[in-house]
Amino acid sequence: MSYVADSSTADGDFTRDTAYIDTRITADGRDGYPVEPGRYRLVVARACPWANRTIIVRRLLGLEDALSIGFCGPTHDERSWTFDLDPEGVDPVLGIHYLRDAYNKRIPDYPKGVTVPAVVDVARGQVVTNDFAQITLDFSTEWTAYHRDGAPQLYPERWRAEIDEVSQRVYTEINNGVYRCGFAGSQKAYERAYDRLFTALDWLSERLADQRYLVGDTITEADVRLFTTLARFDAVYHGHFKANRSKLAEMPVLWAYARDLFQTPGFGDTTDFVQIKQHYYIVHTDINPTRVVPKGPDLANWLTPHGRESLGGRPFGDGTPPGPPREAERVPAAHSAG
């Protein structure tokens, strides 16, 4: 996620800059960056849905020992995401306050928005990639030597074509669709975005009415990508982005599906609702100039029974759930539904 709204067309339609640093970290090192434990640091912000994906996948696959993680604060200035949560505001591994410094190390005077997630080569102090969609796929396919015992198959070969197809529609219509609503520059653009978003949410409700997960009978990459938007829907997108035909809690199938995932290790325990609200309501001053952060909604209902077990499915397939989050990586209880 960039710290600025990307741009809009003459008709007011929001457009996202998708030209990322697309260098890949691979098992064979074909781009010059081989998978090596301890070499890289994943820089994230819990507030960001794109970064939240990488936190989830890293945890589900058990990559904690191989790939360290650095957490930016939920808010930032016009220059960069910053490490406000660390002592003296400096990342203890990279030794920087501004994530932009790692971007400039890779591309001097980096001309684009500084985004998370970003994977940084620790020794060089430079960003290797911020291509969020590819990062999680590579965690599943290129980092296999460092997966935990019992790691699930989030991108199984037999389902990849369908995962890709579903994920693409989820991205264009829902992940990015809420932003098209929130950053629309005209009434017509907003109404177009609104209609597209809820058409897609209705499609998902139909798809998930009789199957527990988006593709196959286990959790896959597609579910991770959808979850991070659903987790932010009532807290942010419904009001802040005017995506207000219905709350998630008023869409029975999607609400049950989201609670099912939230209550699955790796999902709810990586979701920080306080930081999520702080980011959107404080940073987006063009939408919320007062920077007032709402107190609601009540989070306790995320832990209510969802009944999705009746649809069958095996959350982790032949694998097992991850263990508890590491102490240094836990979401504070007051920031979640716990």
Side-chain angles (χ1 to χ4, degrees), residues 58-91:
R58 172 180 174 271
R59 177 152 145 63
L60 294 180
L61 298 178
L63 291 173
E64 291 95 335
D65 286 336
L67 179 67
S68 70
I69 194 166
F71 293 96
C72 295
T75 62
H76 45 66
D77 60 22
E78 69 280 1
R79 290 167 288 185
S80 176
W81 289 91
T82 53
F83 294 95
D84 300 327
L85 305 177
D86 292 307
E88 300 182 0
V90 174
D91 180 85

Side-chain angles (χ1 to χ4, degrees), residues 211-213 216-219 308-317:
Q211 64 186 64
R212 190 170 179 185
Y213 303 111
D217 66 348
T218 65
I219 292 168
R308 298 280 292 179
E309 305 94 335
S310 64
L311 296 175
R314 302 173 300 147
F316 297 101

Side-chain angles (χ1 to χ4, degrees), residues 140-218:
S140 284
T141 59
E142 301 292 337
W143 290 73
T144 53
Y146 303 99
H147 288 183
R148 66 178 175 87
D149 292 339
Q153 295 289 319
L154 299 178
Y155 196 49
E157 289 193 34
R158 65 178 294 216
W159 294 112
R160 284 183 189 175
E162 188 172 353
I163 291 170
D164 290 346
E165 180 182 359
V166 171
S167 294
Q168 181 61 27
R169 186 169 181 183
V170 166
Y171 169 73
T172 58
E173 303 304 300
I174 297 167
N175 300 146
N176 200 43
V178 291
Y179 284 85
R180 276 198 304 270
C181 289
F183 290 114
S186 70
Q187 185 68 34
K188 288 184 178 180
Y190 161 71
E191 292 182 7
R192 285 194 296 268
Y194 176 103
D195 290 342
R196 283 181 64 177
L197 171 64
F198 283 99
T199 294
L201 289 171
D202 289 343
W203 160 70
L204 282 174
S205 290
E206 292 178 11
R207 183 181 183 92
L208 290 165
D210 299 313
Q211 64 186 64
R212 190 170 179 185
Y213 303 111
L214 281 172
V215 179
D217 66 348
T218 65

Side-chain angles (χ1 to χ4, degrees), residues 320-338:
T320 58
R326 298 190 172 185
E327 181 66 32
E329 298 180 13
R330 290 180 181 172
V331 175
H335 288 207
S336 190

Side-chain angles (χ1 to χ4, degrees), residues 262-299:
F262 186 87
Q263 295 169 33
T264 300
F267 288 83
D269 55 26
T270 64
T271 303
D272 189 317
F273 288 107
V274 170
Q275 289 197 23
I276 287 167
K277 290 194 296 183
Q278 286 174 338
H279 172 74
Y280 285 92
Y281 285 99
I282 293 174
V283 171
H284 297 160
T285 54
D286 50 341
I287 300 176
N288 186 41
T290 65
R291 305 177 80 192
V292 172
V293 179
K295 290 184 68 174
D298 182 10
L299 301 175

